[in-house]
Amino acid sequence: GPKPEEVIRRGGAGSILWLNDTKKFNALQKIAVEESPSKIPLLFALDVIHGYRTIFPVPLAMAASWDPAAAERAQTIAAKEARAAGLHWTFAPMLDIARDARWGRIVEGAGEDPCLGAAMAAAQVRGFQGAYLGAPDHVVACAKHFAGYGAADGGRDYDPVYLPEGQLRNVYFPPFHAAVKAGVGTFMSAYMDLNDVPATGNRWLLNDILRGEWGFQGFVVSDAFAVGSLVTQGFASDWRDAAFRALNAGLDMDMASNTYLDHLAGLVEDGTLKLEVLDAAVRNILGVKVR
């Protein structure tokens, strides 16, 4: 495929994920700001989970302290180091309540308790982001994975999740709601099916709950390749349909599957996708960039 420099030069990239190289950040950003059609800067993002250069205990261990202030201090330091290296955005904190020790990602969250999970969620958002979105020496946080990801059948990652609404609201939602109340800038959708509708194409989750009930103002990114996975999950007929369904559900940014880059323009041109829906997604992302 074409080199990243070329993609950026012609305006085909809005963010660079998983790169960790300050010199490269500067070189790519220079192309975006000086040579791309829009001159809009790129977002650089990386998983900064428990420290960037200074390494802290894993999130589950930090939560075991029952001390949100400790987590806030740790993520403040992580943010300062990451921002100094040229990063803007971290894919953390992970806020999934998990009650099955077989689930391999349990280490990234705060365990089984929604009250502790909510306290740790708010503390980490404050640590990463500072007093407001865009505060100096801080990065944008990302509440993930929305929602129910830790409740997969048998603790098997990516397997289906079946949760009644009462359980979602009482157990699995509180940490995410706490992150919204703390001003988190971004959300990440989960991979798996939630009650037979993939979270990445789930309008009830991404629109009705997140924006409608909670008033979230930032943008929603998919988990890696999750928009393309809507086809594998039998929710979309092909990648074009996957792009359409995800965007219509309230998923603003496609992480790495290229379905949005390849298909959104065509979907708007033939009238399948309303331009207003695309504009709303773009506005959510630009809003975070501006701040």
Side-chain angles (χ1 to χ4, degrees), residues 65-133:
S65 70
W66 287 80
D67 184 1
E72 183 173 345
R73 285 198 300 276
Q75 302 302 30
T76 301
I77 293 164
K80 187 166 190 168
E81 293 179 354
R83 190 67 199 92
L87 290 159
H88 305 113
W89 179 27
T90 175
F91 303 126
M94 191 194 92
L95 306 179
D96 295 301
I97 297 293
R99 294 178 167 182
D100 186 333
R102 294 173 296 186
W103 188 53
R105 294 193 69 171
I106 202 166
V107 67
E108 282 180 77
E112 66 183 359
D113 185 77
C115 181
L116 176 62
M120 285 289 165
Q124 290 184 81
V125 170
R126 289 193 301 267
F128 281 129
Q129 294 189 169
Y132 59 93
L133 203 56

Side-chain angles (χ1 to χ4, degrees), residues 251-271:
L251 196 281
D252 302 306
M253 185 188 286
D254 162 24
M255 187 192 285
S257 81
N258 281 340
T259 43
Y260 278 15
L261 282 175
D262 293 345
H263 298 290
L264 289 185
L267 284 163
V268 170
E269 278 157 21
D270 70 14

